[in-house]
Amino acid sequence: LRQTGDRWEENGVRYHLALAYYRQGRLERAAELAAETHRIGVELGDRLAAGDNLFTWARASLGLMPAEPLWQE
């Protein structure tokens, strides 16, 4: 998806991957991926990627994440 330039779809896949890692109990990887996808969403102006990933990031990090992204959204 990155090669075709469809970053919105790529972010959608990344969102689902983070949820899959979360459900597998791979919390660190889930939190990393959700945080990275949030950052990419903000950079691209993809509000869905920026906002939706906060839920996974917060859950996977057990709430230990910076407050700034939450306030930003």
Side-chain angles (χ1 to χ4, degrees):
L1 293 170
R2 185 176 301 148
Q3 289 176 340
T4 64
D6 195 340
R7 298 300 303 270
W8 187 85
E9 287 293 338
E10 179 187 353
N11 287 337
V13 169
R14 295 167 63 83
Y15 167 76
H16 289 284
L17 281 173
L19 284 174
Y21 285 129
Y22 174 78
R23 290 184 181 126
Q24 290 176 343
R26 297 175 62 185
L27 302 183
E28 186 174 331
R29 182 63 185 131
E32 289 171 357
L33 189 55
E36 184 180 336
T37 306
H38 167 77
R39 180 187 55 75
I40 292 168
V42 170
E43 288 175 4
L44 296 175
D46 182 347
R47 304 311 309 156
L48 190 61
D52 282 358
N53 284 280
L54 292 177
F55 176 73
T56 306
W57 186 4
R59 288 177 67 189
S61 68
L62 305 175
L64 301 174
M65 61 178 284
E68 179 60 31
L70 299 171
W71 290 109
Q72 193 177 45
E73 292 305 317

